[in-house]
Amino acid sequence: MTSTDSKTTPDAPPAYISVLRMLWRDKFAFTAAIFLLVVIFGAIFGPMLLEDVATKQNLRGRNAPIFDFSRPWVYWLGADALGRPLLARIIVASQNTIMVAAGAVFCSLTIGTCLGLIAGYTSRLPSQIIMRLADIIMSFPSLLLAVLVLYMLPPSVFNLVIVLAITRLPVYLRTARAEVLEVRERMFVQAAIVMGASGSRIVFRHILPVILPTVLTIATLDFALVVLVESSLSFLGIGIQPPEITWGLMVSQGRPYLTSAWWLSFWPGLAIVLTTLSLNLLSNWMRTALDPVQRWRLEMRRKKNG
């Protein structure tokens, strides 16, 4: 009887493990991801835990200075003109800021990608109608269009989300259409057509998975832009109105006290800067990690380090 030596090879790690390893090797992207997780955690659970503290007035502590560790931790970043702790208010305000940006990006991503798929795969007439609609929206500056519409509509979170989603719609529409025009000429799509697959199956089963990484990368980058636009509108007083709070509204409320209590505007402004910077860093990493053509750069870095 002869015996053969069997070589056992370790199983390949799951896909999410490989993604986490690639993220860990890029320290800037990893730090950005951790910061964004903290912001999301604060946006979800912060209002439930700190809303009463963030809205409670204490006129004796008006414009309390920063880093006064003799006070409770929620006052370590100072207090506003009504004695409300800034740290608690920043955490609570993150919910409105993130919710508006996430809602606008989700709506524009979903609608814009679907219209882009239709414009890229269907006949000439529907494509021309959809693209002219995108050209009309893009002919107006996005911030100016949002200002004009919000002056006519009553201020609310829903109206703000809809306006921001409309202004960002052409970005996803044009990107998805351009990707579809290129992907539909590939061999696997032509093979699916020959085998008799329906148009909807080809679009959603074969084309959409190919263009989705590009669209998601743009969405991550666009999320940062929407946060800035929402903060700008709230700073101008036509976004979310008091008693609701956002980071942009907090910057606006602290503007009269810049010479005497600069921290009232500094900390919420820093939260806006760090969030948008983290989103930009993460989108740059996603551009490489989600692209099979570029992913080898991260994998080669692992082999060099390993």
Side-chain angles (χ1 to χ4, degrees):
M1 175 181 287
T2 60
S3 62
T4 56
D5 295 335
S6 59
K7 296 182 180 180
T8 60
T9 58
D11 294 336
Y16 70 92
I17 297 295
S18 301
V19 171
L20 290 177
R21 287 177 179 175
M22 288 189 293
L23 183 61
W24 169 253
R25 286 190 294 273
D26 191 332
K27 301 305 181 184
F28 287 108
F30 180 78
T31 304
I34 294 298
F35 178 81
L36 291 175
L37 287 177
V38 172
V39 172
I40 294 172
F41 181 85
I44 295 174
F45 299 103
M48 294 187 295
L49 302 175
L50 298 173
E51 187 170 9
D52 293 337
V53 178
T55 56
K56 185 178 180 180
Q57 299 182 11
N58 180 17
L59 296 181
R60 292 184 178 181
R62 296 176 66 251
N63 296 341
I66 60 175
F67 304 142
D68 185 359
F69 299 110
S70 62
R71 299 169 64 92
W73 65 272
V74 291
Y75 288 92
W76 287 356
L77 297 185
D80 66 1
L82 296 177
R84 297 169 296 190
L86 282 179
L87 180 56
R89 289 180 63 80
I90 290 173
I91 296 174
V92 172
S94 65
Q95 184 180 74
N96 284 329
T97 300
I98 298 301
M99 182 173 62
V100 170
V105 170
F106 176 79
C107 292
S108 58
L109 168 66
T110 304
I111 300 173
T113 303
C114 291
L115 291 177
L117 290 171
I118 296 172
Y121 194 77
T122 57
S123 58
R124 182 176 179 83
L125 181 59
S127 176
Q128 291 296 325
I129 294 175
I130 293 173
M131 295 310 298
R132 296 297 76 77
L133 174 64
D135 292 339
I136 292 173
I137 297 175
M138 293 188 67
S139 63
F140 296 93
S142 58
L143 185 58
L144 178 60
L145 179 62
V147 169
L148 293 176
V149 174
L150 289 174
Y151 264 121
M152 296 183 291
L153 296 176
S156 67
V157 174
F158 178 78
N159 290 336
L160 189 58
V161 169
I162 295 301
V163 169
L164 293 177
I166 292 174
T167 60
R168 306 308 303 163
L169 194 65
V171 176
Y172 302 96
L173 196 161
R174 296 173 73 92
T175 302
R177 178 179 179 271
E179 290 288 319
V180 171
L181 289 175
E182 189 272 332
V183 173
R184 73 178 186 180
E185 302 299 330
R186 296 185 183 180
M187 189 65 67
F188 66 91
V189 177
Q190 299 300 322
I193 295 174
V194 172
M195 294 177 65
S198 62
S200 60
R201 179 180 176 84
I202 293 173
V203 168
F204 292 103
R205 184 71 180 271
H206 299 287
I207 296 180
L208 181 59
V210 177
I211 71 171
L212 196 58
T214 301
V215 177
L216 290 178
T217 302
I218 294 176
T220 306
L221 190 61
D222 201 43
F223 198 101
L225 180 60
V226 174
V227 169
L228 291 175
V229 173
E230 185 279 327
S231 300
S232 302
L233 294 173
S234 297
F235 180 83
L236 295 174
I238 57 176
I240 295 178
Q241 302 296 313
E244 297 291 334
I245 51 175
T246 65
W247 289 339
L249 184 60
M250 291 181 66
V251 174
S252 177
Q253 291 174 342
R255 183 176 53 177
Y257 305 95
L258 286 177
T259 56
S260 58
W262 51 268
W263 51 88
L264 271 64
S265 294
F266 175 79
W267 294 120
L270 183 64
I272 297 172
V273 171
L274 292 179
T275 302
T276 55
L277 178 61
S278 298
L279 288 166
N280 287 330
L281 291 173
L282 192 61
S283 67
N284 290 333
W285 174 82
M286 289 178 60
R287 187 180 307 161
T288 304
L290 297 179
D291 186 359
V293 179
Q294 299 292 331
R295 192 182 303 160
W296 65 271
R297 300 178 185 273
L298 298 176
E299 294 174 351
M300 287 297 296
R301 190 181 304 174
R302 179 185 64 179
K303 294 179 180 179
K304 290 181 180 179
N305 295 336

PDB file of all heavy atoms in Angstrom, residues 222-248:
ATOM      1  N   ASP A 222     -18.970  62.615  -2.192  1.00  0.00           N
ATOM      2  CA  ASP A 222     -20.087  63.558  -2.262  1.00  0.00           C
ATOM      3  C   ASP A 222     -20.706  63.795  -0.890  1.00  0.00           C
ATOM      4  O   ASP A 222     -21.260  64.867  -0.636  1.00  0.00           O
ATOM      5  CB  ASP A 222     -21.144  63.028  -3.233  1.00  0.00           C
ATOM      6  CG  ASP A 222     -22.055  64.120  -3.753  1.00  0.00           C
ATOM      7  OD1 ASP A 222     -21.542  65.201  -4.090  1.00  0.00           O
ATOM      8  OD2 ASP A 222     -23.270  63.902  -3.816  1.00  0.00           O
ATOM      9  N   PHE A 223     -20.617  62.811  -0.009  1.00  0.00           N
ATOM     10  CA  PHE A 223     -21.130  62.968   1.348  1.00  0.00           C
ATOM     11  C   PHE A 223     -20.453  64.142   2.043  1.00  0.00           C
ATOM     12  O   PHE A 223     -21.103  64.932   2.739  1.00  0.00           O
ATOM     13  CB  PHE A 223     -20.885  61.678   2.137  1.00  0.00           C
ATOM     14  CG  PHE A 223     -21.708  61.537   3.372  1.00  0.00           C
ATOM     15  CD1 PHE A 223     -22.825  60.732   3.390  1.00  0.00           C
ATOM     16  CD2 PHE A 223     -21.362  62.207   4.537  1.00  0.00           C
ATOM     17  CE1 PHE A 223     -23.591  60.592   4.535  1.00  0.00           C
ATOM     18  CE2 PHE A 223     -22.111  62.073   5.685  1.00  0.00           C
ATOM     19  CZ  PHE A 223     -23.234  61.267   5.689  1.00  0.00           C
ATOM     20  N   ALA A 224     -19.131  64.261   1.846  1.00  0.00           N
ATOM     21  CA  ALA A 224     -18.400  65.379   2.449  1.00  0.00           C
ATOM     22  C   ALA A 224     -18.893  66.714   1.892  1.00  0.00           C
ATOM     23  O   ALA A 224     -19.053  67.684   2.642  1.00  0.00           O
ATOM     24  CB  ALA A 224     -16.901  65.222   2.195  1.00  0.00           C
ATOM     25  N   LEU A 225     -19.145  66.771   0.584  1.00  0.00           N
ATOM     26  CA  LEU A 225     -19.626  68.011  -0.016  1.00  0.00           C
ATOM     27  C   LEU A 225     -21.011  68.377   0.503  1.00  0.00           C
ATOM     28  O   LEU A 225     -21.293  69.552   0.778  1.00  0.00           O
ATOM     29  CB  LEU A 225     -19.643  67.868  -1.540  1.00  0.00           C
ATOM     30  CG  LEU A 225     -20.130  69.094  -2.328  1.00  0.00           C
ATOM     31  CD1 LEU A 225     -19.242  70.291  -2.039  1.00  0.00           C
ATOM     32  CD2 LEU A 225     -20.158  68.794  -3.814  1.00  0.00           C
ATOM     33  N   VAL A 226     -21.881  67.387   0.666  1.00  0.00           N
ATOM     34  CA  VAL A 226     -23.233  67.663   1.162  1.00  0.00           C
ATOM     35  C   VAL A 226     -23.180  68.154   2.608  1.00  0.00           C
ATOM     36  O   VAL A 226     -23.965  69.024   2.993  1.00  0.00           O
ATOM     37  CB  VAL A 226     -24.120  66.410   1.023  1.00  0.00           C
ATOM     38  CG1 VAL A 226     -25.475  66.635   1.658  1.00  0.00           C
ATOM     39  CG2 VAL A 226     -24.285  66.044  -0.443  1.00  0.00           C
ATOM     40  N   VAL A 227     -22.279  67.610   3.411  1.00  0.00           N
ATOM     41  CA  VAL A 227     -22.110  68.103   4.788  1.00  0.00           C
ATOM     42  C   VAL A 227     -21.726  69.588   4.779  1.00  0.00           C
ATOM     43  O   VAL A 227     -22.261  70.388   5.555  1.00  0.00           O
ATOM     44  CB  VAL A 227     -21.053  67.270   5.529  1.00  0.00           C
ATOM     45  CG1 VAL A 227     -20.662  67.934   6.853  1.00  0.00           C
ATOM     46  CG2 VAL A 227     -21.572  65.867   5.808  1.00  0.00           C
ATOM     47  N   LEU A 228     -20.825  69.961   3.882  1.00  0.00           N
ATOM     48  CA  LEU A 228     -20.418  71.365   3.784  1.00  0.00           C
ATOM     49  C   LEU A 228     -21.566  72.251   3.306  1.00  0.00           C
ATOM     50  O   LEU A 228     -21.762  73.357   3.827  1.00  0.00           O
ATOM     51  CB  LEU A 228     -19.225  71.493   2.829  1.00  0.00           C
ATOM     52  CG  LEU A 228     -17.899  70.909   3.310  1.00  0.00           C
ATOM     53  CD1 LEU A 228     -16.846  71.004   2.217  1.00  0.00           C
ATOM     54  CD2 LEU A 228     -17.412  71.628   4.566  1.00  0.00           C
ATOM     55  N   VAL A 229     -22.335  71.765   2.318  1.00  0.00           N
ATOM     56  CA  VAL A 229     -23.457  72.564   1.816  1.00  0.00           C
ATOM     57  C   VAL A 229     -24.521  72.732   2.892  1.00  0.00           C
ATOM     58  O   VAL A 229     -25.058  73.824   3.091  1.00  0.00           O
ATOM     59  CB  VAL A 229     -24.050  71.914   0.549  1.00  0.00           C
ATOM     60  CG1 VAL A 229     -25.315  72.637   0.117  1.00  0.00           C
ATOM     61  CG2 VAL A 229     -23.026  71.930  -0.578  1.00  0.00           C
ATOM     62  N   GLU A 230     -24.836  71.648   3.596  1.00  0.00           N
ATOM     63  CA  GLU A 230     -25.833  71.737   4.674  1.00  0.00           C
ATOM     64  C   GLU A 230     -25.362  72.689   5.766  1.00  0.00           C
ATOM     65  O   GLU A 230     -26.159  73.485   6.284  1.00  0.00           O
ATOM     66  CB  GLU A 230     -26.088  70.350   5.250  1.00  0.00           C
ATOM     67  CG  GLU A 230     -27.195  70.287   6.283  1.00  0.00           C
ATOM     68  CD  GLU A 230     -26.741  70.726   7.665  1.00  0.00           C
ATOM     69  OE1 GLU A 230     -25.566  70.482   8.007  1.00  0.00           O
ATOM     70  OE2 GLU A 230     -27.559  71.320   8.400  1.00  0.00           O
ATOM     71  N   SER A 231     -24.095  72.622   6.114  1.00  0.00           N
ATOM     72  CA  SER A 231     -23.563  73.530   7.131  1.00  0.00           C
ATOM     73  C   SER A 231     -23.608  74.980   6.650  1.00  0.00           C
ATOM     74  O   SER A 231     -23.904  75.888   7.430  1.00  0.00           O
ATOM     75  CB  SER A 231     -22.119  73.136   7.480  1.00  0.00           C
ATOM     76  OG  SER A 231     -22.067  71.818   7.988  1.00  0.00           O
ATOM     77  N   SER A 232     -23.355  75.194   5.371  1.00  0.00           N
ATOM     78  CA  SER A 232     -23.424  76.548   4.816  1.00  0.00           C
ATOM     79  C   SER A 232     -24.847  77.091   4.864  1.00  0.00           C
ATOM     80  O   SER A 232     -25.068  78.253   5.224  1.00  0.00           O
ATOM     81  CB  SER A 232     -22.904  76.556   3.380  1.00  0.00           C
ATOM     82  OG  SER A 232     -21.572  76.089   3.309  1.00  0.00           O
ATOM     83  N   LEU A 233     -25.833  76.253   4.501  1.00  0.00           N
ATOM     84  CA  LEU A 233     -27.221  76.696   4.527  1.00  0.00           C
ATOM     85  C   LEU A 233     -27.678  76.978   5.960  1.00  0.00           C
ATOM     86  O   LEU A 233     -28.386  77.959   6.210  1.00  0.00           O
ATOM     87  CB  LEU A 233     -28.114  75.638   3.886  1.00  0.00           C
ATOM     88  CG  LEU A 233     -27.899  75.406   2.390  1.00  0.00           C
ATOM     89  CD1 LEU A 233     -28.723  74.222   1.906  1.00  0.00           C
ATOM     90  CD2 LEU A 233     -28.258  76.650   1.587  1.00  0.00           C
ATOM     91  N   SER A 234     -27.290  76.129   6.899  1.00  0.00           N
ATOM     92  CA  SER A 234     -27.649  76.380   8.299  1.00  0.00           C
ATOM     93  C   SER A 234     -26.942  77.623   8.822  1.00  0.00           C
ATOM     94  O   SER A 234     -27.510  78.382   9.621  1.00  0.00           O
ATOM     95  CB  SER A 234     -27.276  75.158   9.154  1.00  0.00           C
ATOM     96  OG  SER A 234     -28.011  74.023   8.767  1.00  0.00           O
ATOM     97  N   PHE A 235     -25.710  77.850   8.380  1.00  0.00           N
ATOM     98  CA  PHE A 235     -24.994  79.059   8.794  1.00  0.00           C
ATOM     99  C   PHE A 235     -25.701  80.314   8.282  1.00  0.00           C
ATOM    100  O   PHE A 235     -25.754  81.339   8.972  1.00  0.00           O
ATOM    101  CB  PHE A 235     -23.558  79.005   8.265  1.00  0.00           C
ATOM    102  CG  PHE A 235     -22.724  80.201   8.627  1.00  0.00           C
ATOM    103  CD1 PHE A 235     -22.100  80.277   9.857  1.00  0.00           C
ATOM    104  CD2 PHE A 235     -22.556  81.245   7.734  1.00  0.00           C
ATOM    105  CE1 PHE A 235     -21.326  81.372  10.199  1.00  0.00           C
ATOM    106  CE2 PHE A 235     -21.795  82.343   8.058  1.00  0.00           C
ATOM    107  CZ  PHE A 235     -21.171  82.405   9.301  1.00  0.00           C
ATOM    108  N   LEU A 236     -26.270  80.238   7.079  1.00  0.00           N
ATOM    109  CA  LEU A 236     -26.987  81.377   6.509  1.00  0.00           C
ATOM    110  C   LEU A 236     -28.378  81.556   7.106  1.00  0.00           C
ATOM    111  O   LEU A 236     -29.036  82.569   6.834  1.00  0.00           O
ATOM    112  CB  LEU A 236     -27.100  81.220   4.993  1.00  0.00           C
ATOM    113  CG  LEU A 236     -25.787  81.256   4.212  1.00  0.00           C
ATOM    114  CD1 LEU A 236     -26.028  80.934   2.749  1.00  0.00           C
ATOM    115  CD2 LEU A 236     -25.109  82.614   4.350  1.00  0.00           C
ATOM    116  N   GLY A 237     -28.842  80.578   7.872  1.00  0.00           N
ATOM    117  CA  GLY A 237     -30.139  80.695   8.528  1.00  0.00           C
ATOM    118  C   GLY A 237     -31.307  80.171   7.731  1.00  0.00           C
ATOM    119  O   GLY A 237     -32.455  80.419   8.104  1.00  0.00           O
ATOM    120  N   ILE A 238     -31.058  79.435   6.641  1.00  0.00           N
ATOM    121  CA  ILE A 238     -32.154  78.909   5.829  1.00  0.00           C
ATOM    122  C   ILE A 238     -32.169  77.383   5.843  1.00  0.00           C
ATOM    123  O   ILE A 238     -32.890  76.772   5.057  1.00  0.00           O
ATOM    124  CB  ILE A 238     -32.068  79.419   4.376  1.00  0.00           C
ATOM    125  CG1 ILE A 238     -30.726  79.043   3.767  1.00  0.00           C
ATOM    126  CG2 ILE A 238     -32.302  80.900   4.316  1.00  0.00           C
ATOM    127  CD1 ILE A 238     -30.602  79.435   2.313  1.00  0.00           C
ATOM    128  N   GLY A 239     -31.389  76.792   6.733  1.00  0.00           N
ATOM    129  CA  GLY A 239     -31.400  75.343   6.879  1.00  0.00           C
ATOM    130  C   GLY A 239     -32.288  74.944   8.038  1.00  0.00           C
ATOM    131  O   GLY A 239     -33.406  75.438   8.201  1.00  0.00           O
ATOM    132  N   ILE A 240     -31.815  74.043   8.854  1.00  0.00           N
ATOM    133  CA  ILE A 240     -32.554  73.605  10.034  1.00  0.00           C
ATOM    134  C   ILE A 240     -32.602  74.747  11.043  1.00  0.00           C
ATOM    135  O   ILE A 240     -31.596  75.405  11.305  1.00  0.00           O
ATOM    136  CB  ILE A 240     -31.895  72.353  10.632  1.00  0.00           C
ATOM    137  CG1 ILE A 240     -31.998  71.200   9.633  1.00  0.00           C
ATOM    138  CG2 ILE A 240     -32.547  71.973  11.953  1.00  0.00           C
ATOM    139  CD1 ILE A 240     -31.327  69.927  10.094  1.00  0.00           C
ATOM    140  N   GLN A 241     -33.774  74.970  11.610  1.00  0.00           N
ATOM    141  CA  GLN A 241     -34.003  76.118  12.490  1.00  0.00           C
ATOM    142  C   GLN A 241     -34.018  75.685  13.956  1.00  0.00           C
ATOM    143  O   GLN A 241     -34.333  74.537  14.280  1.00  0.00           O
ATOM    144  CB  GLN A 241     -35.346  76.780  12.144  1.00  0.00           C
ATOM    145  CG  GLN A 241     -35.456  77.253  10.712  1.00  0.00           C
ATOM    146  CD  GLN A 241     -34.455  78.350  10.396  1.00  0.00           C
ATOM    147  OE1 GLN A 241     -34.296  79.301  11.153  1.00  0.00           O
ATOM    148  NE2 GLN A 241     -33.772  78.212   9.264  1.00  0.00           N
ATOM    149  N   PRO A 242     -33.649  76.630  14.871  1.00  0.00           N
ATOM    150  CA  PRO A 242     -33.758  76.338  16.307  1.00  0.00           C
ATOM    151  C   PRO A 242     -35.195  76.014  16.664  1.00  0.00           C
ATOM    152  O   PRO A 242     -36.127  76.514  16.007  1.00  0.00           O
ATOM    153  CB  PRO A 242     -33.279  77.647  16.956  1.00  0.00           C
ATOM    154  CG  PRO A 242     -32.481  78.340  15.897  1.00  0.00           C
ATOM    155  CD  PRO A 242     -33.104  77.946  14.596  1.00  0.00           C
ATOM    156  N   PRO A 243     -35.443  75.171  17.671  1.00  0.00           N
ATOM    157  CA  PRO A 243     -34.493  74.632  18.655  1.00  0.00           C
ATOM    158  C   PRO A 243     -33.661  73.469  18.177  1.00  0.00           C
ATOM    159  O   PRO A 243     -32.832  72.959  18.943  1.00  0.00           O
ATOM    160  CB  PRO A 243     -35.423  74.204  19.799  1.00  0.00           C
ATOM    161  CG  PRO A 243     -36.682  73.818  19.124  1.00  0.00           C
ATOM    162  CD  PRO A 243     -36.840  74.766  17.977  1.00  0.00           C
ATOM    163  N   GLU A 244     -33.884  72.956  16.940  1.00  0.00           N
ATOM    164  CA  GLU A 244     -33.004  71.930  16.397  1.00  0.00           C
ATOM    165  C   GLU A 244     -31.616  72.535  16.175  1.00  0.00           C
ATOM    166  O   GLU A 244     -31.471  73.746  15.988  1.00  0.00           O
ATOM    167  CB  GLU A 244     -33.560  71.395  15.075  1.00  0.00           C
ATOM    168  CG  GLU A 244     -34.908  70.712  15.206  1.00  0.00           C
ATOM    169  CD  GLU A 244     -34.817  69.407  15.962  1.00  0.00           C
ATOM    170  OE1 GLU A 244     -33.719  68.791  15.948  1.00  0.00           O
ATOM    171  OE2 GLU A 244     -35.822  68.992  16.560  1.00  0.00           O
ATOM    172  N   ILE A 245     -30.600  71.702  16.208  1.00  0.00           N
ATOM    173  CA  ILE A 245     -29.236  72.200  16.072  1.00  0.00           C
ATOM    174  C   ILE A 245     -28.472  71.355  15.062  1.00  0.00           C
ATOM    175  O   ILE A 245     -28.705  70.152  14.928  1.00  0.00           O
ATOM    176  CB  ILE A 245     -28.474  72.203  17.419  1.00  0.00           C
ATOM    177  CG1 ILE A 245     -28.594  70.832  18.101  1.00  0.00           C
ATOM    178  CG2 ILE A 245     -28.936  73.313  18.314  1.00  0.00           C
ATOM    179  CD1 ILE A 245     -27.786  70.706  19.367  1.00  0.00           C
ATOM    180  N   THR A 246     -27.601  72.008  14.324  1.00  0.00           N
ATOM    181  CA  THR A 246     -26.633  71.341  13.461  1.00  0.00           C
ATOM    182  C   THR A 246     -25.292  72.015  13.682  1.00  0.00           C
ATOM    183  O   THR A 246     -25.198  73.070  14.311  1.00  0.00           O
ATOM    184  CB  THR A 246     -27.026  71.446  11.976  1.00  0.00           C
ATOM    185  OG1 THR A 246     -26.971  72.823  11.571  1.00  0.00           O
ATOM    186  CG2 THR A 246     -28.414  70.898  11.720  1.00  0.00           C
ATOM    187  N   TRP A 247     -24.251  71.419  13.135  1.00  0.00           N
ATOM    188  CA  TRP A 247     -22.927  72.016  13.300  1.00  0.00           C
ATOM    189  C   TRP A 247     -22.853  73.392  12.650  1.00  0.00           C
ATOM    190  O   TRP A 247     -22.268  74.326  13.213  1.00  0.00           O
ATOM    191  CB  TRP A 247     -21.878  71.091  12.692  1.00  0.00           C
ATOM    192  CG  TRP A 247     -21.677  69.836  13.486  1.00  0.00           C
ATOM    193  CD1 TRP A 247     -21.997  69.628  14.799  1.00  0.00           C
ATOM    194  CD2 TRP A 247     -21.112  68.602  13.027  1.00  0.00           C
ATOM    195  NE1 TRP A 247     -21.674  68.363  15.180  1.00  0.00           N
ATOM    196  CE2 TRP A 247     -21.126  67.705  14.120  1.00  0.00           C
ATOM    197  CE3 TRP A 247     -20.599  68.173  11.816  1.00  0.00           C
ATOM    198  CZ2 TRP A 247     -20.635  66.404  14.015  1.00  0.00           C
ATOM    199  CZ3 TRP A 247     -20.113  66.881  11.714  1.00  0.00           C
ATOM    200  CH2 TRP A 247     -20.123  66.013  12.796  1.00  0.00           C
ATOM    201  N   GLY A 248     -23.437  73.546  11.475  1.00  0.00           N
ATOM    202  CA  GLY A 248     -23.409  74.850  10.815  1.00  0.00           C
ATOM    203  C   GLY A 248     -24.170  75.900  11.592  1.00  0.00           C
ATOM    204  O   GLY A 248     -23.746  77.063  11.673  1.00  0.00           O
TER     205      GLY A 248
END
